[in-house]
Amino acid sequence: MLVKWIRCTVVDRRGFERGQRKWAGLLGEPGFRGQGGGWSRSRPDVAHVFAFWESRAFYDSFMARSHDRLAASQVGTFRDGQVKLFDHRFDVKMGFEPRFADADVARVAHCRVHEDRAEHFALMQEKVWNPAMAGSPGMLRGMFGEAPGSEFLVLSMWQSTAEHGKYREERVERLGLRARTAADVAALNGDVVRLEPSWTV
């Protein structure tokens, strides 16, 4: 599965949200698995969108045919658009599905990892972080993706902001020490995204 992560700064909120609903046109696209997103909790003008495709070939075909038509209604409503593609590597918890309806927030972490530490980082995600997250109350599902150049994406869906906050307070620092994350990661940026039901396709 291919994961597309889009982050942008919105300058016309109403126009952007109106355009976001037009992405319902994705539903007929071959290989499309789901899309959702919402607003950053820390920076209210920043939007995140996550789209899922069965493979790179299906995604490339969509980009060549239908993308520009669907995107046209959002032209001029945002700036600083950043797009990243990741290959799904494994699930956090069992059986990841690109569903958003039952989640209140998503947590996204984008990690650039030192090249010689990439395998260790992925192993620690599997052995240390995943079991801790999977066992946390309110954590619904998640996935771990990889892009060329030792870049990784961890996306997790949570029932509520409060549940995610408890996990962060109680466990993140201790888990980071155990996984020796500081030695692996060259740069890390993340966000908590308040999901907007009307953006879900």
Side-chain angles (χ1 to χ4, degrees):
M1 188 162 58
L2 184 77
V3 187
K4 180 181 189 175
W5 171 40
I6 305 152
R7 179 179 52 195
C8 61
T9 303
V10 174
V11 292
D12 170 6
R13 196 174 175 112
R14 283 182 65 185
F16 183 85
E17 292 209 295
R18 205 166 40 242
Q20 200 56 42
R21 289 192 279 277
K22 294 268 197 317
W23 291 98
L26 283 165
L27 282 172
E29 290 292 333
F32 173 70
R33 297 282 307 276
Q35 179 168 292
W39 299 103
S40 164
R41 284 185 53 81
S42 57
R43 295 178 53 204
D45 58 341
V46 170
H48 295 265
V49 177
F50 307 96
F52 300 84
W53 294 83
E54 267 170 47
S55 70
R56 181 68 191 246
F58 279 123
Y59 170 74
D60 286 344
S61 167
F62 160 72
M63 289 302 288
R65 287 179 300 100
S66 313
H67 174 270
D68 291 359
R69 178 175 48 79
L70 291 173
S73 59
Q74 281 178 311
V75 170
T77 64
F78 65 89
R79 59 181 172 79
D80 304 334
Q82 294 173 305
V83 176
K84 296 258 180 204
L85 299 173
F86 296 86
D87 286 310
H88 173 276
R89 185 155 162 181
F90 50 76
D91 293 346
V92 180
K93 224 169 179 172
M94 293 297 288
F96 178 81
E97 284 291 326
R99 290 184 291 111
F100 294 85
D102 54 350
D104 181 40
V105 294
R107 160 71 181 164
V108 57
H110 175 222
C111 309
R112 287 179 202 280
V113 174
H114 298 295
E115 209 170 311
D116 59 334
R117 304 285 298 179
E119 280 313 308
H120 179 263
F121 178 78
L123 183 69
M124 290 300 100
Q125 184 66 41
E126 216 167 350
K127 301 284 187 239
V128 176
W129 291 101
N130 279 14
M133 244 195 282
S136 293
M139 191 277 186
L140 299 169
R141 69 188 77 82
M143 51 79 53
F144 181 78
E146 184 174 7
S150 304
E151 279 191 59
F152 297 91
L153 182 80
V154 186
L155 177 65
S156 53
M157 314 269 199
W158 297 78
Q159 263 170 358
S160 72
T161 312
E163 297 287 10
H164 176 257
K166 270 191 281 193
Y167 164 74
R168 270 179 74 166
E169 277 169 34
E170 292 167 9
R171 314 188 75 171
V172 166
E173 196 177 337
R174 185 165 45 83
L175 291 167
L177 290 170
R178 196 169 135 213
R180 296 173 53 218
T181 304
D184 293 346
V185 174
L188 165 69
N189 61 61
D191 212 345
V192 177
V193 182
R194 185 173 45 80
L195 296 170
E196 287 286 346
S198 64
W199 297 13
T200 299
V201 183

